[in-house]
Amino acid sequence: MDVTTLAAVSGNLNAIGYGLAATGPGIGLGILIGKTIEGMARQPEVAGQLRATMFLGVAFVEVLALLGLVAGFLFQ
């Protein structure tokens, strides 16, 4: 195998790794937002507090996805 073939395989593995790393945060966001909407429907009086907490949680979950992207670039 020559160098270009190895580089292409390495690039493809990085893309697969990031895809797998983004799956967890994607599932987490779906659960987080779904449960927040469910809580707002059950208790509309705490909707503001739930929304603020949800945005904080969304920020933390997105950090995981970005960490997976950065790790793909660092460890290639």
Side-chain angles (χ1 to χ4, degrees):
M1 296 179 92
D2 60 349
V3 176
T4 56
T5 305
L6 289 175
V9 169
S10 176
N12 290 337
L13 291 177
N14 287 339
I16 291 171
Y18 177 65
L20 293 174
T23 302
I27 293 170
L29 281 173
I31 293 171
L32 176 69
I33 294 170
K35 292 295 183 179
T36 302
I37 291 172
E38 182 180 329
M40 287 179 191
R42 290 177 184 256
Q43 293 183 329
E45 64 273 5
V46 294
Q49 185 178 2
L50 286 173
R51 190 176 302 115
T53 306
M54 179 195 70
F55 284 131
L56 186 63
V58 166
F60 286 133
V61 171
E62 284 297 323
V63 165
L64 292 174
L66 291 174
L67 187 64
L69 177 66
V70 170
F73 286 118
L74 287 177
F75 301 120
Q76 58 175 324

Coordinates of all heavy atoms in Angstrom, one line a residue:
M1 N 0.9 -1.2 0.0 CA 0.0 0.0 0.0 C 0.9 1.2 0.0 O 1.9 1.3 0.8 CB -0.9 0.0 1.2 CG -1.9 -1.1 1.3 SD -2.9 -1.0 2.8 CE -4.2 -0.1 2.2
D2 N 0.5 2.2 -0.8 CA 1.3 3.4 -0.8 C 0.8 4.4 0.2 O -0.3 4.2 0.8 CB 1.4 4.0 -2.2 CG 0.0 4.4 -2.8 OD1 -1.0 4.0 -2.2 OD2 0.0 5.1 -3.8
V3 N 1.4 5.6 0.3 CA 1.1 6.6 1.3 C -0.3 7.2 1.1 O -1.0 7.4 2.1 CB 2.2 7.6 1.4 CG1 1.8 8.7 2.3 CG2 3.5 7.0 1.7
T4 N -0.7 7.4 -0.1 CA -2.0 8.0 -0.4 C -3.1 7.1 0.0 O -4.1 7.6 0.4 CB -2.1 8.5 -1.9 OG1 -1.8 7.3 -2.7 CG2 -1.1 9.6 -2.2
T5 N -2.9 5.8 -0.2 CA -4.0 4.9 0.1 C -4.1 4.8 1.6 O -5.2 4.8 2.2 CB -3.6 3.5 -0.4 OG1 -3.4 3.5 -1.8 CG2 -4.8 2.5 -0.1
L6 N -3.0 4.8 2.4 CA -3.1 4.8 3.8 C -3.7 6.1 4.3 O -4.5 6.1 5.3 CB -1.7 4.7 4.4 CG -1.0 3.3 4.2 CD1 0.4 3.3 4.8 CD2 -1.9 2.2 4.9
A7 N -3.4 7.3 3.7 CA -4.0 8.5 4.1 C -5.5 8.5 3.9 O -6.3 9.0 4.7 CB -3.4 9.7 3.4
A8 N -6.0 7.9 2.8 CA -7.4 7.8 2.5 C -8.1 6.9 3.5 O -9.2 7.3 3.9 CB -7.6 7.3 1.1
V9 N -7.5 5.8 3.8 CA -8.1 4.9 4.8 C -8.1 5.6 6.2 O -9.2 5.5 6.9 CB -7.3 3.6 4.9 CG1 -7.7 2.8 6.1 CG2 -7.4 2.8 3.6
S10 N -7.1 6.3 6.5 CA -7.1 7.0 7.8 C -8.2 8.1 7.8 O -8.9 8.3 8.8 CB -5.7 7.7 8.0 OG -5.7 8.5 9.2
G11 N -8.4 8.8 6.8 CA -9.4 9.8 6.7 C -10.8 9.2 6.8 O -11.7 9.8 7.5
N12 N -11.0 8.1 6.2 CA -12.3 7.4 6.3 C -12.6 6.9 7.7 O -13.7 6.9 8.2 CB -12.4 6.2 5.3 CG -12.4 6.7 3.9 OD1 -12.8 7.8 3.6 ND2 -12.0 5.9 2.9
L13 N -11.5 6.4 8.4 CA -11.7 5.9 9.7 C -12.0 7.1 10.7 O -12.8 6.9 11.6 CB -10.5 5.2 10.2 CG -10.2 3.9 9.6 CD1 -8.9 3.3 10.1 CD2 -11.3 2.9 9.8
N14 N -11.4 8.3 10.4 CA -11.8 9.4 11.2 C -13.2 9.8 11.0 O -13.9 10.2 12.0 CB -10.9 10.6 10.9 CG -9.5 10.5 11.4 OD1 -9.3 9.7 12.3 ND2 -8.5 11.2 10.8
A15 N -13.7 9.8 9.8 CA -15.1 10.1 9.6 C -16.1 9.1 10.2 O -17.1 9.5 10.8 CB -15.4 10.1 8.1
I16 N -15.7 7.8 10.2 CA -16.5 6.8 10.9 C -16.5 7.1 12.4 O -17.5 7.0 13.1 CB -16.1 5.4 10.5 CG1 -16.4 5.1 9.1 CG2 -16.7 4.4 11.4 CD1 -15.7 3.9 8.5
G17 N -15.3 7.4 12.9 CA -15.2 7.6 14.4 C -16.0 8.8 14.8 O -16.7 8.8 15.8
Y18 N -16.0 9.9 14.0 CA -16.8 11.1 14.4 C -18.3 10.7 14.3 O -19.1 11.2 15.1 CB -16.5 12.3 13.5 CG -17.4 13.4 13.9 CD1 -17.4 14.0 15.1 CD2 -18.3 13.9 13.0 CE1 -18.2 15.0 15.5 CE2 -19.2 14.9 13.3 CZ -19.1 15.5 14.6 OH -20.0 16.5 14.9
G19 N -18.7 10.0 13.3 CA -20.1 9.5 13.2 C -20.5 8.8 14.4 O -21.6 9.0 14.9
L20 N -19.7 7.9 14.9 CA -20.0 7.1 16.1 C -20.0 8.1 17.3 O -20.9 7.9 18.2 CB -19.0 6.0 16.3 CG -19.1 4.9 15.3 CD1 -18.0 3.9 15.5 CD2 -20.5 4.2 15.3
A21 N -19.1 9.0 17.3 CA -19.0 9.9 18.5 C -20.2 10.9 18.5 O -20.6 11.3 19.6 CB -17.7 10.7 18.4
A22 N -20.8 11.2 17.4 CA -22.0 12.1 17.3 C -23.3 11.4 17.6 O -24.3 12.0 17.9 CB -22.0 12.8 16.0
T23 N -23.3 10.0 17.6 CA -24.5 9.3 17.8 C -25.0 9.4 19.2 O -26.2 9.7 19.5 CB -24.3 7.8 17.5 OG1 -23.9 7.7 16.1 CG2 -25.6 7.0 17.7
G24 N -24.1 9.3 20.2 CA -24.5 9.5 21.6 C -25.1 10.8 21.9 O -26.2 10.9 22.5
P25 N -24.4 11.9 21.6 CA -25.0 13.2 21.9 C -26.3 13.4 21.1 O -27.2 14.1 21.6 CB -24.0 14.2 21.4 CG -22.7 13.5 21.6 CD -23.0 12.1 21.2
G26 N -26.5 12.9 19.9 CA -27.7 13.0 19.2 C -28.9 12.3 19.9 O -30.0 12.9 20.0
I27 N -28.6 11.1 20.4 CA -29.6 10.4 21.2 C -29.9 11.2 22.5 O -31.1 11.4 22.9 CB -29.2 9.0 21.5 CG1 -29.1 8.2 20.2 CG2 -30.1 8.3 22.5 CD1 -28.5 6.8 20.4
G28 N -28.8 11.7 23.1 CA -29.0 12.5 24.4 C -29.8 13.7 24.2 O -30.7 14.1 25.0
L29 N -29.6 14.4 23.1 CA -30.4 15.6 22.8 C -31.9 15.3 22.6 O -32.8 16.0 23.1 CB -29.9 16.3 21.5 CG -28.6 17.2 21.7 CD1 -28.1 17.7 20.4 CD2 -28.9 18.3 22.6
G30 N -32.1 14.2 21.9 CA -33.5 13.8 21.7 C -34.2 13.5 23.0 O -35.4 14.0 23.2
I31 N -33.6 12.8 23.9 CA -34.2 12.5 25.2 C -34.3 13.7 26.0 O -35.4 14.0 26.6 CB -33.3 11.4 25.9 CG1 -33.4 10.1 25.2 CG2 -33.8 11.3 27.4 CD1 -32.4 9.1 25.7
L32 N -33.3 14.6 26.0 CA -33.3 15.8 26.9 C -34.4 16.7 26.4 O -35.2 17.2 27.3 CB -32.0 16.5 26.7 CG -31.8 17.9 27.4 CD1 -31.9 17.7 28.9 CD2 -30.6 18.5 27.0
I33 N -34.6 17.0 25.2 CA -35.6 17.9 24.7 C -37.0 17.3 24.8 O -37.9 18.0 25.2 CB -35.3 18.4 23.2 CG1 -34.0 19.2 23.2 CG2 -36.4 19.2 22.6 CD1 -33.4 19.5 21.8
G34 N -37.1 16.0 24.6 CA -38.4 15.4 24.7 C -38.9 15.4 26.1 O -40.1 15.7 26.4
K35 N -38.0 15.1 27.1 CA -38.4 15.1 28.5 C -38.7 16.6 29.0 O -39.6 16.7 29.8 CB -37.4 14.5 29.4 CG -37.2 13.0 29.1 CD -38.4 12.3 29.5 CE -38.2 10.8 29.3 NZ -39.4 10.0 29.7
T36 N -38.0 17.5 28.4 CA -38.3 18.9 28.8 C -39.7 19.3 28.3 O -40.5 19.9 29.1 CB -37.3 19.9 28.2 OG1 -36.0 19.5 28.7 CG2 -37.5 21.3 28.6
I37 N -40.0 19.0 27.1 CA -41.4 19.3 26.5 C -42.4 18.6 27.3 O -43.5 19.1 27.6 CB -41.4 19.0 25.0 CG1 -40.5 19.9 24.3 CG2 -42.8 19.0 24.5 CD1 -40.3 19.6 22.8
E38 N -42.2 17.3 27.7 CA -43.1 16.6 28.5 C -43.3 17.2 29.9 O -44.5 17.3 30.3 CB -42.6 15.1 28.7 CG -43.5 14.2 29.5 CD -42.9 12.8 29.6 OE1 -42.1 12.4 28.7 OE2 -43.2 12.2 30.6
G39 N -42.2 17.7 30.5 CA -42.4 18.4 31.8 C -43.1 19.7 31.6 O -43.9 20.0 32.5
M40 N -42.9 20.4 30.5 CA -43.7 21.7 30.3 C -45.1 21.4 30.1 O -46.0 22.2 30.6 CB -43.1 22.4 29.1 CG -41.8 23.1 29.3 SD -41.3 23.9 27.8 CE -39.6 24.3 28.2
A41 N -45.5 20.3 29.5 CA -46.9 20.0 29.3 C -47.5 19.6 30.6 O -48.7 19.9 30.8 CB -47.0 18.9 28.2
R42 N -46.8 18.9 31.4 CA -47.4 18.5 32.7 C -47.5 19.6 33.7 O -48.4 19.7 34.5 CB -46.5 17.4 33.3 CG -46.6 16.1 32.6 CD -45.7 15.0 33.2 NE -45.7 13.8 32.5 CZ -46.3 12.7 32.9 NH1 -47.0 12.7 34.0 NH2 -46.3 11.6 32.1
Q43 N -46.5 20.5 33.7 CA -46.5 21.6 34.7 C -46.1 22.9 34.0 O -44.9 23.3 34.0 CB -45.5 21.4 35.8 CG -45.9 20.2 36.7 CD -45.0 20.1 37.9 OE1 -43.8 20.3 37.8 NE2 -45.5 19.6 39.0
P44 N -47.1 23.6 33.4 CA -46.7 24.8 32.6 C -46.2 25.9 33.4 O -45.5 26.8 32.9 CB -48.1 25.2 32.0 CG -49.0 24.0 32.1 CD -48.5 23.2 33.2
E45 N -46.4 25.9 34.7 CA -45.9 27.0 35.6 C -44.4 27.0 35.8 O -43.8 28.0 36.2 CB -46.6 27.0 37.0 CG -46.4 25.7 37.8 CD -47.3 24.6 37.5 OE1 -48.1 24.7 36.6 OE2 -47.2 23.6 38.3
V46 N -43.8 25.9 35.5 CA -42.3 25.8 35.7 C -41.6 25.8 34.3 O -40.5 25.4 34.2 CB -41.9 24.6 36.5 CG1 -42.3 24.8 38.0 CG2 -42.3 23.3 36.0
A47 N -42.3 26.2 33.3 CA -41.8 26.1 31.9 C -40.5 26.9 31.7 O -39.5 26.5 31.1 CB -42.8 26.5 30.9
G48 N -40.5 28.1 32.3 CA -39.3 28.9 32.2 C -38.0 28.3 32.9 O -36.9 28.3 32.3
Q49 N -38.2 27.7 34.0 CA -37.1 27.1 34.7 C -36.6 25.8 33.9 O -35.4 25.6 33.8 CB -37.5 26.7 36.1 CG -36.4 26.1 36.9 CD -36.8 25.8 38.4 OE1 -37.9 26.0 38.7 NE2 -35.8 25.3 39.2
L50 N -37.6 25.1 33.4 CA -37.3 23.9 32.6 C -36.5 24.3 31.4 O -35.6 23.6 31.0 CB -38.5 23.1 32.3 CG -39.2 22.3 33.4 CD1 -40.5 21.7 33.0 CD2 -38.2 21.2 33.9
R51 N -37.0 25.3 30.7 CA -36.3 25.8 29.5 C -34.9 26.2 29.7 O -34.0 25.8 29.0 CB -37.1 26.9 28.9 CG -36.7 27.3 27.5 CD -37.5 28.4 26.8 NE -38.9 28.0 26.8 CZ -39.9 28.6 27.4 NH1 -39.6 29.6 28.2 NH2 -41.1 28.2 27.3
A52 N -34.6 26.9 30.8 CA -33.3 27.4 31.1 C -32.4 26.2 31.4 O -31.2 26.1 31.0 CB -33.3 28.3 32.3
T53 N -32.9 25.2 32.2 CA -32.1 24.0 32.5 C -31.9 23.2 31.2 O -30.8 22.6 31.1 CB -32.9 23.2 33.5 OG1 -33.2 24.0 34.7 CG2 -32.1 22.0 34.0
M54 N -32.9 23.2 30.3 CA -32.7 22.4 29.1 C -31.6 23.0 28.3 O -30.7 22.3 27.7 CB -34.0 22.4 28.3 CG -33.8 21.6 27.0 SD -35.1 21.9 25.8 CE -34.8 23.6 25.3
F55 N -31.5 24.4 28.1 CA -30.5 25.0 27.3 C -29.1 24.7 27.9 O -28.1 24.6 27.2 CB -30.7 26.5 27.2 CG -31.8 26.8 26.2 CD1 -32.8 27.6 26.5 CD2 -31.8 26.2 24.9 CE1 -33.8 27.9 25.6 CE2 -32.8 26.4 24.0 CZ -33.8 27.3 24.3
L56 N -29.0 24.7 29.3 CA -27.7 24.4 29.9 C -27.3 22.9 29.6 O -26.2 22.6 29.2 CB -27.8 24.6 31.4 CG -26.6 24.4 32.2 CD1 -25.6 25.4 31.8 CD2 -26.9 24.5 33.7
G57 N -28.3 22.0 29.6 CA -28.0 20.6 29.3 C -27.6 20.4 27.8 O -26.8 19.7 27.5
V58 N -28.3 21.2 26.9 CA -28.0 21.1 25.5 C -26.6 21.6 25.3 O -25.8 21.0 24.5 CB -29.0 22.0 24.7 CG1 -28.5 22.2 23.3 CG2 -30.3 21.3 24.7
A59 N -26.1 22.6 26.0 CA -24.7 23.1 25.8 C -23.7 22.0 26.2 O -22.8 21.7 25.5 CB -24.5 24.3 26.7
F60 N -24.0 21.3 27.3 CA -23.1 20.3 27.8 C -23.1 19.1 26.8 O -22.0 18.5 26.6 CB -23.5 19.8 29.2 CG -23.1 20.8 30.3 CD1 -24.0 21.1 31.3 CD2 -21.8 21.3 30.3 CE1 -23.6 22.0 32.3 CE2 -21.5 22.2 31.3 CZ -22.4 22.6 32.3
V61 N -24.2 18.7 26.3 CA -24.3 17.6 25.4 C -23.6 17.9 24.1 O -22.9 17.1 23.5 CB -25.8 17.2 25.1 CG1 -25.9 16.2 24.0 CG2 -26.4 16.6 26.4
E62 N -23.7 19.2 23.6 CA -23.0 19.6 22.4 C -21.5 19.6 22.5 O -20.8 19.4 21.6 CB -23.5 21.0 21.9 CG -24.9 20.9 21.3 CD -24.9 20.1 20.0 OE1 -23.9 20.1 19.2 OE2 -25.9 19.4 19.8
V63 N -21.0 19.9 23.7 CA -19.6 19.8 24.0 C -19.1 18.4 23.7 O -18.0 18.2 23.2 CB -19.3 20.3 25.4 CG1 -17.9 19.9 25.8 CG2 -19.5 21.8 25.6
L64 N -19.9 17.4 24.1 CA -19.4 16.0 23.8 C -19.3 15.8 22.3 O -18.3 15.1 21.9 CB -20.5 15.0 24.4 CG -20.5 15.0 25.9 CD1 -21.7 14.0 26.3 CD2 -19.2 14.5 26.5
A65 N -20.2 16.3 21.5 CA -20.1 16.1 20.0 C -18.9 16.8 19.5 O -18.1 16.3 18.7 CB -21.4 16.6 19.4
L66 N -18.6 18.0 20.0 CA -17.5 18.8 19.5 C -16.2 18.1 20.0 O -15.2 18.2 19.3 CB -17.5 20.2 20.0 CG -18.6 21.1 19.4 CD1 -18.7 22.4 20.1 CD2 -18.4 21.2 17.9
L67 N -16.2 17.5 21.2 CA -15.0 16.8 21.7 C -14.7 15.6 20.8 O -13.5 15.3 20.5 CB -15.3 16.4 23.1 CG -14.1 15.7 23.8 CD1 -13.0 16.8 24.0 CD2 -14.6 15.2 25.2
G68 N -15.7 14.9 20.3 CA -15.5 13.8 19.3 C -14.9 14.3 18.0 O -14.0 13.7 17.4
L69 N -15.3 15.5 17.6 CA -14.8 16.1 16.3 C -13.3 16.4 16.5 O -12.5 16.1 15.7 CB -15.6 17.3 15.9 CG -15.1 18.0 14.7 CD1 -15.2 17.2 13.5 CD2 -15.9 19.3 14.5
V70 N -13.0 17.1 17.6 CA -11.6 17.5 17.9 C -10.7 16.3 18.1 O -9.6 16.3 17.6 CB -11.6 18.4 19.1 CG1 -10.2 18.7 19.6 CG2 -12.3 19.7 18.8
A71 N -11.2 15.3 18.8 CA -10.4 14.1 19.0 C -10.1 13.4 17.7 O -9.0 12.8 17.5 CB -11.2 13.1 19.9
G72 N -11.0 13.4 16.7 CA -10.7 12.9 15.4 C -9.5 13.6 14.7 O -8.8 12.9 14.0
F73 N -9.4 14.9 14.9 CA -8.3 15.6 14.3 C -7.0 15.5 15.0 O -6.0 15.4 14.5 CB -8.7 17.1 14.2 CG -9.7 17.4 13.1 CD1 -10.9 18.0 13.4 CD2 -9.4 17.2 11.8 CE1 -11.8 18.3 12.5 CE2 -10.3 17.5 10.8 CZ -11.5 18.0 11.1
L74 N -7.1 15.3 16.4 CA -5.9 15.2 17.2 C -5.2 13.9 17.0 O -4.0 13.8 17.0 CB -6.3 15.5 18.6 CG -6.6 16.9 19.1 CD1 -6.9 16.9 20.5 CD2 -5.4 17.8 18.8
F75 N -6.0 12.8 16.9 CA -5.5 11.5 16.9 C -5.4 10.8 15.6 O -5.5 9.6 15.5 CB -6.3 10.6 17.9 CG -6.3 11.1 19.3 CD1 -7.5 11.4 19.9 CD2 -5.1 11.3 20.0 CE1 -7.5 11.9 21.2 CE2 -5.1 11.8 21.3 CZ -6.3 12.1 21.9
Q76 N -5.2 11.6 14.5 CA -5.1 11.0 13.2 C -3.7 10.7 12.8 O -2.7 11.0 13.3 CB -5.8 11.8 12.2 CG -5.2 13.2 12.0 CD -5.9 13.9 10.8 OE1 -6.2 13.3 9.9 NE2 -6.2 15.2 11.0

